[in-house]
Amino acid sequence: MSMLMIGSLFGVATLLFMFSGMPISFALGSVAVLFMAVFMPASALDTVTQNVYEEMASITLLSIPLFILKGAAIGKSRAGQDLYQAMHVWMGRIPGGLGIANVFACALFAAMAGSSPATCSAIGSAGIPEMRKRGYSPGFAAGIIAAGGTLGILLPPSITMILYAVAAEQSLGRLFLAGIFPGVLLVVLFAGYAVVRYRKEHALALDAYERGGTASAMLDSETFTHRQKFEMLPRVLPFVLLLTGVMVALYGGFATPSETAGLGAVLALALVAIIYKVWRPKDVAPILQATLKESTMLMFIIGMSLLFSYVMSYLHISQATAEWIVGMQLSRWVLLAAVLVMVIVLGFFLPPVSIILMTAPIILPPLKAAGFDLIWFGILMTIVMETGLIHPPVGLNIFVIKNIAPDIELSDIIWGVLPFVILMLLAVVLICVFPGIATALPDLVMGPAK
């Protein structure tokens, strides 16, 4: 059988299993085992567990459950709500300050949790009711939280970046550093849109009131004294200390990423135990249960994705596809655009974890041959995959928002997030035009890449 036929069968089988409704990990594992049984030596099936173990025996992957534990410790306590309330008090006088506060709270929480759904849930559970109570439209409020949650896979430490570093065989430290400025860029773009959208909604509310309608809560002014503001600072300080401790340990060379993940988890547990009195077994149990559940699900997806990639490589599907792409002799920028469009399309159906592990063997060799920096491309790919978290039909963050705010119509949530998708694509264009946004900080801290 020709390579084209095998590759086509592999792709069709993958789509059929994906759309069958079974969990992604089972779908990928089933396709891998099926093609091992048909196209590989009989002894290959005897080594499935060994292959999965060898692929996952990476010290870098060890950091994933530890980062999840850190995020769960914060997300399952009052820490997320306290962080949000402090931001709200300090941003209250700025037009759209409540929306900006939610963006900043999402960014800070994401930098500690490393998980987009966890960020959406922790900040959205407090932020969405508060914004709606103050007159923000349901779609606007939902869009801010859903988009702010996507920062969880861009700002370090990011679970998605850990997987990309493993798949691309790149420095995790450089990748983490490369994500900081693009993350700040997205925070600025989201905050700027929040101000513009707030002014528009405020003007509409004022016009409706002047025409004899009811006064929207958005027209109410709320001020906080300096005393109230400074009383809120202690609620933010522990988060700053936690984030600073993790960053200093990682970039100061005192700990590896995996050791840093362990340090962050211990510090987060100590934080919620000391400040929020979360130390009794019944209080700690939800944190451990959430960590175990999410870690098991994620690691199972990773294991089956790695087995899937191993079969692709053994059958030379990934190599042949990469050679075919190179043989098309596309210009480097057309090649990049085609790859990013493919990632966007895959984002309609798959989470970032699966996209990275399934496509890396195919897309990275041609991009490297075209002269693209794989660290720089990793940032672009991460931002593009972020859009997959908030655009239909899957849009994981959309369904997280629907879960915590069931009274908001799904259509309102979708329309509310679309402007943020456009802003993310604008960020991709800016990073292509000004690559230093992603490469300057790693080169400054760690020296130029060799």
Side-chain angles (χ1 to χ4, degrees):
M1 188 176 293
S2 67
M3 182 58 63
L4 176 60
M5 183 63 71
I6 294 175
S8 300
L9 286 175
F10 195 84
V12 170
T14 302
L15 290 176
L16 288 176
F17 276 90
M18 285 288 186
F19 287 109
S20 69
M22 69 171 61
I24 291 173
S25 56
F26 288 104
L28 296 177
S30 299
V31 173
V33 171
L34 175 62
F35 275 75
M36 289 177 77
V38 176
F39 295 102
M40 293 172 64
S43 59
L45 289 174
D46 297 332
T47 62
V48 169
T49 54
Q50 180 181 345
N51 287 330
V52 173
Y53 174 80
E54 289 178 351
E55 293 288 341
M56 294 184 68
S58 167
I59 193 67
T60 304
L61 293 179
L62 173 64
S63 60
I64 292 177
L66 296 173
F67 280 130
I68 292 174
L69 175 59
K70 183 179 72 169
I74 298 171
K76 293 295 180 180
S77 66
R78 279 191 48 82
Q81 288 86 342
D82 280 357
L83 175 63
Y84 160 74
Q85 290 173 3
M87 288 289 182
H88 167 51
V89 169
W90 278 88
M91 300 286 178
R93 292 183 61 85
I94 303 173
L98 184 57
I100 297 174
N102 279 281
V103 172
F104 283 3
C106 284
L108 284 175
F109 191 92
M112 290 177 287
S115 168
S116 293
T119 303
C120 271
S121 179
I123 304 302
S125 59
I128 290 179
E130 288 293 326
M131 284 189 283
R132 296 190 66 189
K133 186 170 69 175
R134 288 166 174 79
Y136 285 61
S137 65
F140 183 25
I144 288 175
I145 299 298
T150 63
L151 298 170
I153 68 171
L154 183 61
L155 291 169
S158 163
I159 294 171
T160 303
M161 284 189 178
I162 294 171
L163 296 175
Y164 179 84
V166 172
E169 298 180 348
Q170 298 294 310
S171 165
L172 181 58
R174 293 188 69 87
L175 195 60
F176 277 177
L177 283 171
I180 293 177
F181 283 170
V184 172
L185 172 63
L186 284 178
V187 169
V188 171
L189 290 175
F190 291 173
Y193 172 75
V195 172
V196 173
R197 176 68 180 268
Y198 175 85
R199 288 182 181 277
K200 180 180 178 180
E201 292 198 354
H202 187 275
L204 291 174
L206 182 60
D207 182 64
Y209 175 67
E210 290 176 345
R211 291 174 181 270
T214 58
S216 168
M218 186 171 278
L219 301 179
D220 297 336
S221 59
E222 185 178 15
T223 58
F224 298 96
T225 65
H226 289 295
R227 180 178 178 179
Q228 289 175 311
K229 291 182 178 181
F230 282 104
E231 285 176 348
M232 285 291 178
L233 284 180
R235 299 191 181 192
V236 180
L237 185 59
F239 297 97
V240 175
L241 293 175
L242 173 60
L243 185 59
T244 302
V246 170
M247 292 301 178
V248 169
L250 179 61
Y251 299 119
F254 300 106
T256 65
S258 298
E259 292 168 345
T260 303
L263 174 64
V266 171
L267 289 177
L269 289 172
L271 172 73
V272 298
I274 295 172
I275 298 179
Y276 299 99
K277 310 300 182 185
V278 180
W279 56 268
R280 298 178 180 85
K282 67 175 183 179
D283 298 326
V284 178
I287 295 174
L288 300 180
Q289 289 171 356
T291 302
L292 185 61
K293 182 178 179 180
E294 187 172 348
S295 298
T296 303
M297 176 191 68
L298 191 56
M299 295 303 287
F300 206 78
I301 292 175
I302 293 170
M304 293 300 100
S305 297
L306 290 171
L307 181 64
F308 183 88
S309 299
Y310 165 76
V311 174
M312 284 181 63
S313 178
Y314 186 94
L315 297 177
H316 293 277
I317 296 173
S318 56
Q319 296 92 322
T321 305
E323 290 172 3
W324 174 71
I325 294 174
V326 172
M328 294 175 66
Q329 296 182 338
L330 300 173
S331 69
R332 61 198 305 261
W333 291 106
V334 172
L335 172 64
L336 177 66
V339 168
L340 292 179
V341 169
M342 179 188 73
V343 173
I344 290 175
V345 173
L346 289 174
F348 289 140
F349 313 103
L350 300 174
V353 171
S354 298
I355 294 174
I356 290 174
L357 296 175
M358 289 174 60
T359 62
I362 297 173
I363 65 176
L364 294 183
L367 289 170
K368 188 174 182 180
F372 286 111
D373 179 357
L374 294 187
I375 293 288
W376 174 84
F377 172 73
I379 300 304
L380 291 185
M381 186 175 182
T382 300
I383 296 175
V384 169
M385 287 188 298
E386 284 182 22
T387 66
L389 293 171
I390 60 173
H391 69 52
V394 177
L396 179 59
N397 284 9
I398 291 176
F399 296 104
V400 172
I401 296 298
K402 183 63 178 174
N403 184 57
I404 62 177
D407 58 319
I408 300 180
E409 295 292 333
L410 189 60
S411 59
D412 288 338
I413 300 175
I414 292 173
W415 283 109
V417 301
L418 287 180
F420 294 96
V421 173
I422 296 173
L423 291 175
M424 290 180 183
L425 297 179
L426 173 61
V428 169
V429 173
L430 290 175
I431 295 172
C432 288
V433 176
F434 305 103
I437 296 173
T439 59
L441 190 57
D443 290 346
L444 178 64
V445 175
M446 305 180 70
K450 298 180 180 179

